[in-house]
């Protein structure tokens, strides 16, 4: 009888320690999404990237809960960046080659993009940005690698 009581007491003492260790373990269910952007026409400005699972807000990220955003210095040709600690789900990525670094997509005549853009799955642009469904890709526990081609209209 006494032996069972001691065993239970030791197990109860070990429980908080085990919970503390569990809280500091790496995020097993989160991945990295590495994106290689190709066909940049010059090294001016930055490449802005937005990754979201909110299909109603895509291709925007600003102020969207759970969205990921990053920038990388532009380089002629290719640039690579990584989104870390990405939770599993369905995401879409929008890119902007912000050549003048003003933080927005500049347009000619109010409609045609003057700077480069790109979308995951190389989703096509018709009369505006592609739909979320055209650009969506899955993220699970494994790391993902994507290549997105930068496109220019002017």
């Amino acid at each position: 009888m006494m032996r069972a009581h001691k065993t239970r007491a030791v197990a109860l003492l070990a429980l908080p320690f085990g919970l503390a260790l569990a809280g500091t373990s790496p995020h097993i269910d989160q991945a990295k999404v590495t994106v290689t952007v190709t066909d940049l026409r010059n090294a001016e400005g930055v490449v802005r990237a937005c990754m979201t699972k909110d299909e109603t807000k895509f291709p925007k990220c600003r102020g969207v809960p759970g969205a990921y955003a990053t920038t990388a210095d532009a380089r002629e040709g290719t640039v690579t960046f990584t989104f870390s600690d990405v939770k599993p789900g369905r995401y879409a990525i929008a890119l902007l080659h912000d050549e003048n670094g003003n933080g927005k997509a500049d347009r000619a005549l109010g409609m045609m993009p003057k700077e480069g853009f790109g979308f995951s799955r190389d989703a096509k642009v018709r009369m505006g940005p592609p739909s979320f469904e055209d650009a969506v890709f899955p993220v699970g526990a494994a790391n993902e690698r994507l290549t997105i081609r930068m496109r220019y209209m002017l």
Side-chain angles (χ1 to χ4, degrees), residues 12-149:
L12 288 174
L13 287 173
L15 184 61
F17 182 69
L19 290 175
L21 285 178
T24 61
S25 65
H27 300 282
I28 295 170
D29 63 339
Q30 296 183 345
K32 290 181 181 178
V33 176
T34 300
V35 179
T36 300
V37 182
T38 64
D39 297 344
L40 283 131
R41 68 178 170 194
N42 60 50
E44 296 175 23
V46 297
V47 175
R48 298 184 186 282
C50 158
M51 184 171 72
T52 183
K53 26 163 122 170
D54 188 336
E55 59 188 278
T56 63
K57 303 287 190 220
F58 179 77
K60 300 186 189 272
C61 263
R62 202 171 282 167
V64 177
Y68 299 81
T70 191
T71 60
D73 290 334
R75 284 190 210 130
E76 189 170 344
T78 303
V79 67
T80 300
F81 55 85
T82 301
F83 295 104
S84 298
D85 299 326
V86 178
K87 295 177 182 175
R90 298 175 66 225
Y91 292 89
I93 296 175
L95 302 176
L96 169 66
H97 180 186
D98 187 3
E99 292 174 281
N100 61 7
N102 68 354
K104 64 181 186 174
D106 295 322
R107 300 185 180 282
L109 303 172
M111 295 180 65
M112 189 168 300
K114 292 169 74 175
E115 298 173 303
F117 57 88
F119 299 96
S120 46
R121 292 183 48 198
D122 261 343
K124 303 285 185 257
V125 172
R126 291 182 175 78
M127 297 302 287
S131 71
F132 181 84
E133 287 302 318
D134 287 343
V136 73
F137 65 97
V139 174
N143 294 336
E144 296 287 333
R145 297 187 75 74
L146 297 152
T147 300
I148 300 175
R149 183 170 55 106

